[in-house]
């Protein structure tokens, strides 16, 4: 920390499709859903994060709720800028600074991001007040956040299942040897559940309800040692519009998520196929690291272990691994400068 370090505020941001998390001074200061509520006529921000999520699917014509990110990338530039600006304000909500410090931001991005997508993230962050904006790939940040020595001459494989994308990468000597970025993750699981309920039970459910089903009875296996209690879904029948109640079991959800999980398995196998033999031997010996919100899906690690014959280790805090790694790379930016974009 330099003499004039108080003139600069350093933030590590995990700008996720589902949640945005900000670290300041090694502490998580913001952990909110990536959603913003805007007044339709004026474009004025009404609510951000949890407050906006409460309004989702319950608004009238005067208010619209927007999720600015889709599939890991910015889909609505204006809403993304407003959301980032609002969340940065949350960091300083209890402070009354004499002046506005310059912002240095390290923000993580999907490893499959194009130049245009990277430019969109940089522009949104700069318009939201970032003086210096650096970017790091999500799987590299996840590996650092899990305590993996990414600079060592050893192969490490990370599977990060987020809200919009699943990032699969083999890391060695401070670089990504091979990576796959597939746009199948938590959001796709939610859409699968909505479709399944519509086709199988003739009941129309919202994205929020599908999310609740995923959290309560979501599973990757049809046989679990500790099965969760069935989740009761209430809603209108598609044909009659009369209210109905349907109990949903984890076996049903495992069945409806099977196709999407199979695509993630295929991407993992493709990554292993492209891994050099020496690094493959390291991965086989140490196992594969599983992180992101999708890592919390019941039985997923066991299913992936059975598929690949390589043990999968779920990170200690899978939801915050990426942002913690981003925070470490920000704090040690002189050491990890070669990882920044």
């Amino acid at each position: 920390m330099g003499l004039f370090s108080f003139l600069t505020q350093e933030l590590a941001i995990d700008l996720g499709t589902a949640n945005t998390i900000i670290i300041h001074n090694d502490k998580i200061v913001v952990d909110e859903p990536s959603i913003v509520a805007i007044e339709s006529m004026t474009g004025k921000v009404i609510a951000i994060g949890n407050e906006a999520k409460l309004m989702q699917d319950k608004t009238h014509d005067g208010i619209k709720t927007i999720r600015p990110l889709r599939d890991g990338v910015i889909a609505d530039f204006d809403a993304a800028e407003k959301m980032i600006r609002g969340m940065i304000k949350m960091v300083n909500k209890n402070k009354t600074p004499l002046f506005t410090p310059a912002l240095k931001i390290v923000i993580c991005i999907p490893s499959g991001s194009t130049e245009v997508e990277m430019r969109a993230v940089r522009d949104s962050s700069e318009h939201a007040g970032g003086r210096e904006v650096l970017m790091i790939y999500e799987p590299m940040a996840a590996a650092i956040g899990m305590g993996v020595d990414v600079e060592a001459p050893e192969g490490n494989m990370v599977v990060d299942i987020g809200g919009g994308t699943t990032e699969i990468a083999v890391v060695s000597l401070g670089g990504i040897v091979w990576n796959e970025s597939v746009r199948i993750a938590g959001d796709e699981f939610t859409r699968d559940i909505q479709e399944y309920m519509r086709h199988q039970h003739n009941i129309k459910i919202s994205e929020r309800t599908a999310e609740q089903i995923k959290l309560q009875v979501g599973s990757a296996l049809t046989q679990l040692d500790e099965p969760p209690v069935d989740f009761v879904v209430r809603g209108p029948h598609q044909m009659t519009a009369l209210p109905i109640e349907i109990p949903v079991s984890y076996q049903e959800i495992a069945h409806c998520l099977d196709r999407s999980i199979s695509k993630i398995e295929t991407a993992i196998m493709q990554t292993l196929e492209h891994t050099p033999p020496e690094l493959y031997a390291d991965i086989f010996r140490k196992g594969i690291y599983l992180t992101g919100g999708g890592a919390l899906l019941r039985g997923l690690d066991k299913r992936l272990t059975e598929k690949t014959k390589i043990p999968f280790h779920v990170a200690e805090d899978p939801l915050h691994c990426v942002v913690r790694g981003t925070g470490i790379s920000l704090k040690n930016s002189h050491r990890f400068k070669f990882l920044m974009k």
Side-chain angles (χ1 to χ4, degrees), residues 4 66 75 83 93 108 119 127 129 133 189 220 224 243 247 256 266 274 291 294 307 320:
F4 297 104
I66 302 169
M83 186 185 77
K93 67 180 174 184
C108 52
R119 184 78 246 173
H127 289 173
V133 179
F189 296 162
L224 291 175
C256 90
T266 302
H274 288 96
T291 184
K307 174 73 177 177
H320 298 134

PDB file of all heavy atoms in Angstrom, residues 4 66 75 83 93 108 119 127 129 133 189 220 224 243 247 256 266 274 291 294 307 320:
ATOM      1  N   PHE A   4      -0.318   7.257  -0.994  1.00  0.00           N
ATOM      2  CA  PHE A   4      -1.581   7.838  -1.467  1.00  0.00           C
ATOM      3  C   PHE A   4      -2.599   6.768  -1.866  1.00  0.00           C
ATOM      4  O   PHE A   4      -3.444   6.982  -2.724  1.00  0.00           O
ATOM      5  CB  PHE A   4      -1.313   8.773  -2.654  1.00  0.00           C
ATOM      6  CG  PHE A   4      -0.440   9.950  -2.294  1.00  0.00           C
ATOM      7  CD1 PHE A   4       0.888   9.985  -2.675  1.00  0.00           C
ATOM      8  CD2 PHE A   4      -0.957  10.997  -1.557  1.00  0.00           C
ATOM      9  CE1 PHE A   4       1.698  11.055  -2.327  1.00  0.00           C
ATOM     10  CE2 PHE A   4      -0.161  12.080  -1.208  1.00  0.00           C
ATOM     11  CZ  PHE A   4       1.174  12.117  -1.584  1.00  0.00           C
ATOM     12  N   ILE A  66     -34.880  -6.201 -15.397  1.00  0.00           N
ATOM     13  CA  ILE A  66     -33.951  -6.635 -16.452  1.00  0.00           C
ATOM     14  C   ILE A  66     -32.789  -7.393 -15.829  1.00  0.00           C
ATOM     15  O   ILE A  66     -32.195  -6.953 -14.838  1.00  0.00           O
ATOM     16  CB  ILE A  66     -33.400  -5.423 -17.242  1.00  0.00           C
ATOM     17  CG1 ILE A  66     -34.537  -4.612 -17.862  1.00  0.00           C
ATOM     18  CG2 ILE A  66     -32.423  -5.870 -18.325  1.00  0.00           C
ATOM     19  CD1 ILE A  66     -34.105  -3.267 -18.421  1.00  0.00           C
ATOM     20  N   ALA A  75     -25.922  -8.561 -22.188  1.00  0.00           N
ATOM     21  CA  ALA A  75     -26.958  -8.536 -23.233  1.00  0.00           C
ATOM     22  C   ALA A  75     -27.604  -7.161 -23.332  1.00  0.00           C
ATOM     23  O   ALA A  75     -28.079  -6.769 -24.389  1.00  0.00           O
ATOM     24  CB  ALA A  75     -28.017  -9.597 -22.934  1.00  0.00           C
ATOM     25  N   MET A  83     -26.525  -1.173 -13.290  1.00  0.00           N
ATOM     26  CA  MET A  83     -26.423  -2.162 -12.216  1.00  0.00           C
ATOM     27  C   MET A  83     -25.046  -2.098 -11.554  1.00  0.00           C
ATOM     28  O   MET A  83     -24.937  -2.085 -10.320  1.00  0.00           O
ATOM     29  CB  MET A  83     -26.686  -3.566 -12.769  1.00  0.00           C
ATOM     30  CG  MET A  83     -26.741  -4.638 -11.696  1.00  0.00           C
ATOM     31  SD  MET A  83     -26.914  -6.284 -12.380  1.00  0.00           S
ATOM     32  CE  MET A  83     -25.223  -6.598 -12.935  1.00  0.00           C
ATOM     33  N   LYS A  93     -22.064   2.676   0.903  1.00  0.00           N
ATOM     34  CA  LYS A  93     -23.345   3.232   1.371  1.00  0.00           C
ATOM     35  C   LYS A  93     -23.287   3.755   2.804  1.00  0.00           C
ATOM     36  O   LYS A  93     -24.035   4.660   3.168  1.00  0.00           O
ATOM     37  CB  LYS A  93     -24.465   2.200   1.211  1.00  0.00           C
ATOM     38  CG  LYS A  93     -24.349   0.972   2.093  1.00  0.00           C
ATOM     39  CD  LYS A  93     -25.497   0.024   1.842  1.00  0.00           C
ATOM     40  CE  LYS A  93     -25.301  -1.284   2.619  1.00  0.00           C
ATOM     41  NZ  LYS A  93     -26.342  -2.252   2.311  1.00  0.00           N
ATOM     42  N   CYS A 108     -13.944 -10.531 -13.496  1.00  0.00           N
ATOM     43  CA  CYS A 108     -13.707 -11.819 -14.164  1.00  0.00           C
ATOM     44  C   CYS A 108     -14.688 -12.012 -15.324  1.00  0.00           C
ATOM     45  O   CYS A 108     -15.817 -11.532 -15.286  1.00  0.00           O
ATOM     46  CB  CYS A 108     -13.788 -12.974 -13.185  1.00  0.00           C
ATOM     47  SG  CYS A 108     -15.266 -13.000 -12.217  1.00  0.00           S
ATOM     48  N   ARG A 119     -14.897  -6.157 -24.658  1.00  0.00           N
ATOM     49  CA  ARG A 119     -15.002  -4.704 -24.790  1.00  0.00           C
ATOM     50  C   ARG A 119     -16.250  -4.182 -24.076  1.00  0.00           C
ATOM     51  O   ARG A 119     -16.232  -3.132 -23.441  1.00  0.00           O
ATOM     52  CB  ARG A 119     -15.062  -4.360 -26.290  1.00  0.00           C
ATOM     53  CG  ARG A 119     -15.079  -2.906 -26.664  1.00  0.00           C
ATOM     54  CD  ARG A 119     -13.706  -2.308 -26.579  1.00  0.00           C
ATOM     55  NE  ARG A 119     -13.653  -1.318 -25.520  1.00  0.00           N
ATOM     56  CZ  ARG A 119     -12.548  -0.720 -25.116  1.00  0.00           C
ATOM     57  NH1 ARG A 119     -11.386  -1.015 -25.655  1.00  0.00           N
ATOM     58  NH2 ARG A 119     -12.568   0.165 -24.152  1.00  0.00           N
ATOM     59  N   HIS A 127     -17.722   3.170 -17.736  1.00  0.00           N
ATOM     60  CA  HIS A 127     -18.841   4.116 -17.657  1.00  0.00           C
ATOM     61  C   HIS A 127     -19.431   4.175 -16.247  1.00  0.00           C
ATOM     62  O   HIS A 127     -20.021   5.181 -15.860  1.00  0.00           O
ATOM     63  CB  HIS A 127     -19.937   3.735 -18.658  1.00  0.00           C
ATOM     64  CG  HIS A 127     -19.534   3.981 -20.079  1.00  0.00           C
ATOM     65  ND1 HIS A 127     -20.302   3.585 -21.144  1.00  0.00           N
ATOM     66  CD2 HIS A 127     -18.448   4.583 -20.622  1.00  0.00           C
ATOM     67  CE1 HIS A 127     -19.689   3.929 -22.276  1.00  0.00           C
ATOM     68  NE2 HIS A 127     -18.567   4.539 -21.970  1.00  0.00           N
ATOM     69  N   GLY A 129     -17.666   4.168 -13.640  1.00  0.00           N
ATOM     70  CA  GLY A 129     -16.726   4.904 -12.782  1.00  0.00           C
ATOM     71  C   GLY A 129     -15.352   4.288 -12.636  1.00  0.00           C
ATOM     72  O   GLY A 129     -14.520   4.811 -11.890  1.00  0.00           O
ATOM     73  N   VAL A 133      -9.473  -0.650 -15.389  1.00  0.00           N
ATOM     74  CA  VAL A 133     -10.262  -1.888 -15.427  1.00  0.00           C
ATOM     75  C   VAL A 133      -9.395  -3.011 -16.003  1.00  0.00           C
ATOM     76  O   VAL A 133      -8.900  -2.919 -17.126  1.00  0.00           O
ATOM     77  CB  VAL A 133     -11.544  -1.722 -16.279  1.00  0.00           C
ATOM     78  CG1 VAL A 133     -12.331  -3.030 -16.319  1.00  0.00           C
ATOM     79  CG2 VAL A 133     -12.427  -0.607 -15.734  1.00  0.00           C
ATOM     80  N   PHE A 189     -30.600 -25.071 -16.602  1.00  0.00           N
ATOM     81  CA  PHE A 189     -31.277 -26.018 -15.711  1.00  0.00           C
ATOM     82  C   PHE A 189     -32.661 -25.481 -15.328  1.00  0.00           C
ATOM     83  O   PHE A 189     -33.642 -26.222 -15.309  1.00  0.00           O
ATOM     84  CB  PHE A 189     -30.465 -26.250 -14.425  1.00  0.00           C
ATOM     85  CG  PHE A 189     -29.114 -26.894 -14.634  1.00  0.00           C
ATOM     86  CD1 PHE A 189     -28.130 -26.824 -13.650  1.00  0.00           C
ATOM     87  CD2 PHE A 189     -28.814 -27.576 -15.801  1.00  0.00           C
ATOM     88  CE1 PHE A 189     -26.896 -27.416 -13.822  1.00  0.00           C
ATOM     89  CE2 PHE A 189     -27.568 -28.173 -15.991  1.00  0.00           C
ATOM     90  CZ  PHE A 189     -26.607 -28.088 -14.989  1.00  0.00           C
ATOM     91  N   ALA A 220     -28.645 -34.505  -9.731  1.00  0.00           N
ATOM     92  CA  ALA A 220     -28.051 -35.031 -10.961  1.00  0.00           C
ATOM     93  C   ALA A 220     -28.196 -36.553 -11.022  1.00  0.00           C
ATOM     94  O   ALA A 220     -27.917 -37.162 -12.043  1.00  0.00           O
ATOM     95  CB  ALA A 220     -26.569 -34.642 -11.039  1.00  0.00           C
ATOM     96  N   LEU A 224     -30.299 -41.008  -4.436  1.00  0.00           N
ATOM     97  CA  LEU A 224     -29.470 -40.255  -3.486  1.00  0.00           C
ATOM     98  C   LEU A 224     -29.506 -40.917  -2.118  1.00  0.00           C
ATOM     99  O   LEU A 224     -30.522 -41.502  -1.722  1.00  0.00           O
ATOM    100  CB  LEU A 224     -29.988 -38.817  -3.353  1.00  0.00           C
ATOM    101  CG  LEU A 224     -29.835 -37.879  -4.559  1.00  0.00           C
ATOM    102  CD1 LEU A 224     -30.526 -36.552  -4.263  1.00  0.00           C
ATOM    103  CD2 LEU A 224     -28.365 -37.639  -4.908  1.00  0.00           C
ATOM    104  N   PRO A 243     -56.522 -23.598 -10.327  1.00  0.00           N
ATOM    105  CA  PRO A 243     -55.313 -23.841  -9.518  1.00  0.00           C
ATOM    106  C   PRO A 243     -55.090 -25.337  -9.254  1.00  0.00           C
ATOM    107  O   PRO A 243     -56.047 -26.080  -9.006  1.00  0.00           O
ATOM    108  CB  PRO A 243     -55.595 -23.090  -8.216  1.00  0.00           C
ATOM    109  CG  PRO A 243     -57.085 -22.990  -8.143  1.00  0.00           C
ATOM    110  CD  PRO A 243     -57.576 -22.925  -9.551  1.00  0.00           C
ATOM    111  N   PRO A 247     -46.819 -32.298  -6.292  1.00  0.00           N
ATOM    112  CA  PRO A 247     -45.568 -32.591  -5.576  1.00  0.00           C
ATOM    113  C   PRO A 247     -44.495 -33.029  -6.576  1.00  0.00           C
ATOM    114  O   PRO A 247     -44.748 -33.871  -7.441  1.00  0.00           O
ATOM    115  CB  PRO A 247     -45.958 -33.733  -4.628  1.00  0.00           C
ATOM    116  CG  PRO A 247     -47.163 -34.355  -5.246  1.00  0.00           C
ATOM    117  CD  PRO A 247     -47.814 -33.354  -6.144  1.00  0.00           C
ATOM    118  N   CYS A 256     -35.239 -34.601 -15.764  1.00  0.00           N
ATOM    119  CA  CYS A 256     -35.392 -33.465 -16.687  1.00  0.00           C
ATOM    120  C   CYS A 256     -34.082 -32.706 -16.907  1.00  0.00           C
ATOM    121  O   CYS A 256     -33.921 -32.025 -17.919  1.00  0.00           O
ATOM    122  CB  CYS A 256     -36.520 -32.542 -16.232  1.00  0.00           C
ATOM    123  SG  CYS A 256     -36.082 -31.217 -15.140  1.00  0.00           S
ATOM    124  N   THR A 266     -19.951 -34.065 -21.870  1.00  0.00           N
ATOM    125  CA  THR A 266     -19.287 -34.125 -23.185  1.00  0.00           C
ATOM    126  C   THR A 266     -18.172 -33.090 -23.275  1.00  0.00           C
ATOM    127  O   THR A 266     -17.072 -33.383 -23.763  1.00  0.00           O
ATOM    128  CB  THR A 266     -20.312 -33.890 -24.323  1.00  0.00           C
ATOM    129  OG1 THR A 266     -21.347 -34.871 -24.221  1.00  0.00           O
ATOM    130  CG2 THR A 266     -19.654 -33.984 -25.691  1.00  0.00           C
ATOM    131  N   HIS A 274      -8.067 -33.229 -25.179  1.00  0.00           N
ATOM    132  CA  HIS A 274      -7.077 -32.267 -25.676  1.00  0.00           C
ATOM    133  C   HIS A 274      -5.968 -31.969 -24.664  1.00  0.00           C
ATOM    134  O   HIS A 274      -5.102 -31.141 -24.930  1.00  0.00           O
ATOM    135  CB  HIS A 274      -7.773 -30.956 -26.079  1.00  0.00           C
ATOM    136  CG  HIS A 274      -8.579 -31.071 -27.327  1.00  0.00           C
ATOM    137  ND1 HIS A 274      -9.940 -31.315 -27.300  1.00  0.00           N
ATOM    138  CD2 HIS A 274      -8.231 -30.992 -28.638  1.00  0.00           C
ATOM    139  CE1 HIS A 274     -10.394 -31.387 -28.548  1.00  0.00           C
ATOM    140  NE2 HIS A 274      -9.380 -31.181 -29.373  1.00  0.00           N
ATOM    141  N   THR A 291     -16.518 -26.102  -9.063  1.00  0.00           N
ATOM    142  CA  THR A 291     -16.895 -24.881  -8.357  1.00  0.00           C
ATOM    143  C   THR A 291     -18.074 -24.196  -9.056  1.00  0.00           C
ATOM    144  O   THR A 291     -18.570 -24.699 -10.062  1.00  0.00           O
ATOM    145  CB  THR A 291     -15.679 -23.936  -8.248  1.00  0.00           C
ATOM    146  OG1 THR A 291     -16.036 -22.794  -7.481  1.00  0.00           O
ATOM    147  CG2 THR A 291     -15.205 -23.472  -9.614  1.00  0.00           C
ATOM    148  N   GLY A 294     -23.518 -24.268  -9.648  1.00  0.00           N
ATOM    149  CA  GLY A 294     -23.926 -25.587 -10.149  1.00  0.00           C
ATOM    150  C   GLY A 294     -23.277 -26.740  -9.413  1.00  0.00           C
ATOM    151  O   GLY A 294     -23.792 -27.865  -9.420  1.00  0.00           O
ATOM    152  N   LYS A 307     -18.580 -40.858 -14.641  1.00  0.00           N
ATOM    153  CA  LYS A 307     -18.442 -40.668 -16.089  1.00  0.00           C
ATOM    154  C   LYS A 307     -16.971 -40.640 -16.519  1.00  0.00           C
ATOM    155  O   LYS A 307     -16.591 -41.261 -17.515  1.00  0.00           O
ATOM    156  CB  LYS A 307     -19.139 -39.364 -16.499  1.00  0.00           C
ATOM    157  CG  LYS A 307     -18.959 -38.964 -17.970  1.00  0.00           C
ATOM    158  CD  LYS A 307     -19.767 -39.825 -18.889  1.00  0.00           C
ATOM    159  CE  LYS A 307     -19.638 -39.374 -20.339  1.00  0.00           C
ATOM    160  NZ  LYS A 307     -20.378 -40.253 -21.257  1.00  0.00           N
ATOM    161  N   HIS A 320     -18.320 -18.567  -3.970  1.00  0.00           N
ATOM    162  CA  HIS A 320     -17.444 -17.400  -3.842  1.00  0.00           C
ATOM    163  C   HIS A 320     -16.003 -17.648  -4.281  1.00  0.00           C
ATOM    164  O   HIS A 320     -15.159 -16.765  -4.117  1.00  0.00           O
ATOM    165  CB  HIS A 320     -17.466 -16.899  -2.388  1.00  0.00           C
ATOM    166  CG  HIS A 320     -18.817 -16.452  -1.932  1.00  0.00           C
ATOM    167  ND1 HIS A 320     -19.373 -16.815  -0.722  1.00  0.00           N
ATOM    168  CD2 HIS A 320     -19.758 -15.681  -2.548  1.00  0.00           C
ATOM    169  CE1 HIS A 320     -20.578 -16.284  -0.596  1.00  0.00           C
ATOM    170  NE2 HIS A 320     -20.845 -15.602  -1.693  1.00  0.00           N
TER     171      HIS A 320
END
